[in-house]
Amino acid sequence: MAESKSSVLVVDDDEAVGKVLSALLAQAGYPATWVSSGEAAIATLRKQSFDLVISDVRMPGMDGVELLAKLKQEVPELPVVLLTAHGTVPMAVDAMRRGAADFLQKPFERDEILFVVKKSLDASAPERSAAPRRAASSALDELVGTSPAMDEVRRLVQRAATSAATVLVRGESGTGKELVARALHALSPRAKGPFVRLNCGALVDSLLESELFGHEKGAFTGAVQRKPGRVELAEGGTLFLDEVGDVTPAMQVKLLRLLQEKEFERVGGTQTLKADVRFVAATHQPLEERVRAGAFREDLFYRLNVVPLFLPPLRARADDVAQLAKHFVAQLSKQHGRRVSLEPDAVAALRQHAWPGNVRELQNLLERLVVLNETDEVTAADVQRELGRSLASPPAPTPPVGAAANTLSEQRAGLEREAVKQALDKAKGNRTLAARLLGVSRRTLYNKLDALGLADA
């Protein structure tokens, strides 16, 4: 019995397949819910949190590929595994290039299902919500800011994009490293090819090797058929190796060969394959220090650092805060059907904040303001209110006159309950959006709903 209690949503118009797969997952310790259509899946996900979706490809109405695209917009961190017949395997492979976590062929086997479920859940655990997909034509427009530092970033992106050289994007978390990687791809001669991302820091060595290089049938328990890796899926395009600084020494050797020789073998295979891929890597780690400490190979560092590109933290380009804020407010207002504007004092308040979470923190704060603000004009007071909002540690309330003061824990629970209710009201019951408004993960929100007795709200 699996220790994990991660939940799975099964989407298949075939009732027999849906119920059998749900029962198999439940027996293995993964609570599973079955729905018969893509439309029903969307409705269910807006009311209930799941950790993984397994969807058939061919379904009436919204098919699995359309469902994948919809979920990438609404819940980008939610992994989606596609279930497909042999004839739709090319479609499933293409869907992986568009963001699917994996795919399984019918008829499926228990060991393979459980292996893919565990792998997908492990890989997606540290994922955060990503920004919406951007069109290639506006790649540079999304690198917002007129500070000298951002002008230099755009200049380097334009120059590096036309070459095949490996680029190492460095900077603190939340500075937009994946955005730069996508811009490099969109402006490159490989723009029509796939952009494939792999979070190297999210997987243990065995899974990382399989995900990167693919595997042959029988290579390990659960490998019931040959599976292409991310290198093969990125053929003709760009492979983005995120958090490459977290790779272990054992995998560094294999990654070095891939970068140096552009060759690899699938796990369990003997055939040497060529990698027709442009590599872009990213890390927040101080790689020079890790090299000196013997934790990162010096030769791999130099192979990755052919074209170094540093993204400055937001605190180092305070002049860009106003432009970024207006850009996000316009984008988010359109997304949420409002016409919100920032008052000059609000912009000044935003400029004064240190932004330890960088651009991502600024974007999340502005989304809360766009959705939660009572008026369409955001003031400095509104900014300070949202900066001070914290679900984990709300300010102590003033008890009513003549009423006995509650304990601190009771006061905190009351404020948390009100904050959650307000967010759910603003999000019109959409719990994914409510979690984003509160600045917490979906899982944290669901835990709070249970703890506060609001699970049925």
Side-chain angles (χ1 to χ4, degrees):
M1 183 72 71
E3 292 183 4
S4 171
K5 291 186 178 181
S6 299
S7 57
V8 181
L9 179 63
V10 177
V11 190
D12 200 308
D13 60 314
D14 187 325
E15 182 177 0
V17 173
K19 289 187 173 180
V20 167
L21 181 52
S22 298
L24 184 156
L25 291 166
Q27 290 171 3
Y30 300 102
T33 300
W34 166 67
V35 295
S36 60
S37 69
E39 293 82 358
I42 294 295
T44 302
L45 283 161
R46 287 174 177 170
K47 297 178 181 178
Q48 184 178 351
S49 174
F50 289 89
D51 301 291
L52 177 72
V53 171
I54 300 178
S55 174
D56 191 17
V57 171
R58 293 195 182 278
M59 296 183 292
M62 181 186 293
D63 65 23
V65 177
E66 292 171 326
L67 175 61
L68 169 67
K70 183 71 172 174
L71 293 180
K72 283 300 169 186
Q73 291 179 348
E74 293 202 6
V75 201
E77 78 277 14
L78 180 64
V80 179
V81 173
L82 295 180
L83 192 60
T84 175
H86 177 72
T88 54
V89 168
M91 183 189 300
V93 172
D94 181 64
M96 280 194 69
R97 292 174 175 174
R98 297 173 186 269
D102 216 320
F103 72 91
L104 290 159
Q105 281 188 243
K106 295 179 180 179
F108 50 79
E109 296 187 14
R110 181 182 185 278
D111 287 345
E112 183 184 16
I113 286 280
L114 298 181
F115 171 77
V116 169
V117 166
K118 184 179 186 305
K119 180 184 69 174
S120 299
L121 289 169
D122 288 345
S124 65
E127 291 294 318
R128 302 182 189 89
S129 298
R133 302 292 184 197
R134 292 137 176 115
S137 61
S138 62
L140 281 180
D141 293 339
E142 293 295 331
L143 300 177
V144 177
T146 55
S147 64
M150 284 308 296
D151 285 343
E152 178 67 6
V153 168
R154 279 189 295 272
R155 185 184 69 81
L156 289 174
V157 167
Q158 286 180 297
R159 292 186 62 184
T162 58
S163 76
T166 300
V167 178
L168 179 61
V169 187
R170 304 175 69 177
E172 296 177 7
S173 295
T175 50
K177 294 188 285 295
E178 182 172 349
L179 185 61
V180 167
R182 289 186 179 277
L184 286 165
H185 172 71
L187 297 169
S188 76
R190 293 173 172 262
K192 293 183 178 179
F195 177 89
V196 177
R197 175 182 180 272
L198 179 62
N199 188 334
C200 300
L203 301 171
V204 297
D205 278 6
S206 57
L207 288 177
L208 177 57
E209 184 177 7
S210 176
E211 282 296 295
L212 187 60
F213 302 126
H215 62 254
E216 297 287 352
K217 179 179 179 179
F220 46 80
T221 302
V224 298
Q225 63 187 26
R226 174 187 287 178
K227 178 75 73 71
R230 301 299 172 97
V231 178
E232 289 180 79
L233 293 172
E235 183 174 358
T238 301
L239 178 59
F240 176 45
L241 301 171
D242 199 7
E243 300 300 348
V244 73
D246 296 333
V247 173
T248 65
M251 273 302 298
Q252 289 174 27
V253 176
K254 298 173 182 179
L255 187 56
L256 175 63
R257 183 199 172 200
L258 175 65
L259 292 168
Q260 185 168 294
E261 307 295 338
K262 296 291 181 74
E263 292 181 348
F264 67 99
E265 287 90 32
R266 299 188 191 99
V267 177
T270 56
Q271 180 184 6
T272 299
L273 304 174
K274 288 289 185 181
D276 178 19
V277 172
R278 198 272 178 89
F279 295 98
V280 178
T283 183
H284 68 281
Q285 297 277 12
L287 290 187
E288 292 87 351
E289 293 180 16
R290 288 178 61 79
V291 168
R292 288 193 291 271
F296 201 87
R297 292 181 64 101
E298 185 175 21
D299 46 4
L300 177 58
F301 170 66
Y302 289 126
R303 280 290 171 185
L304 290 167
N305 201 41
V306 177
V307 178
L309 202 160
F310 289 85
L311 282 178
L314 190 52
R315 62 183 176 275
R317 53 186 186 106
D319 290 343
D320 289 338
V321 170
Q323 190 176 351
L324 280 164
K326 292 173 183 177
H327 169 78
F328 287 135
V329 165
Q331 193 178 67
L332 293 164
S333 294
K334 183 178 180 180
Q335 180 181 333
H336 294 292
R338 296 194 66 181
R339 292 186 177 181
V340 175
S341 62
L342 293 170
E343 294 295 300
D345 64 339
V347 175
L350 291 171
R351 283 174 54 89
Q352 292 172 4
H353 188 59
W355 303 113
N358 292 297
V359 179
R360 184 184 295 122
E361 182 188 0
L362 173 63
Q363 184 178 14
N364 289 343
L365 175 91
L366 291 169
E367 183 160 19
R368 293 204 301 274
L369 283 165
V370 167
V371 176
L372 293 177
N373 220 52
E374 297 293 343
T375 68
D376 288 340
E377 290 78 34
V378 175
T379 66
D382 298 323
V383 170
Q384 295 298 337
R385 182 193 69 236
E386 291 304 323
L387 284 172
R389 184 188 294 272
S390 171
L391 186 62
S393 54
T398 302
V401 177
N406 294 328
T407 65
L408 178 60
S409 62
E410 289 171 338
Q411 294 176 21
R412 177 172 296 174
L415 283 181
E416 288 184 348
R417 187 176 291 105
E418 289 306 313
V420 170
K421 285 181 177 179
Q422 183 184 23
L424 287 170
D425 288 342
K426 290 289 184 180
K428 297 180 180 179
N430 185 328
R431 296 183 177 185
T432 297
L433 176 57
R436 289 161 64 183
L437 295 177
L438 291 165
V440 300
S441 68
R442 289 182 303 124
R443 178 57 59 195
T444 298
L445 174 60
Y446 277 84
N447 290 339
K448 285 292 180 185
L449 290 173
D450 288 337
L452 298 171
L454 297 173
D456 298 327

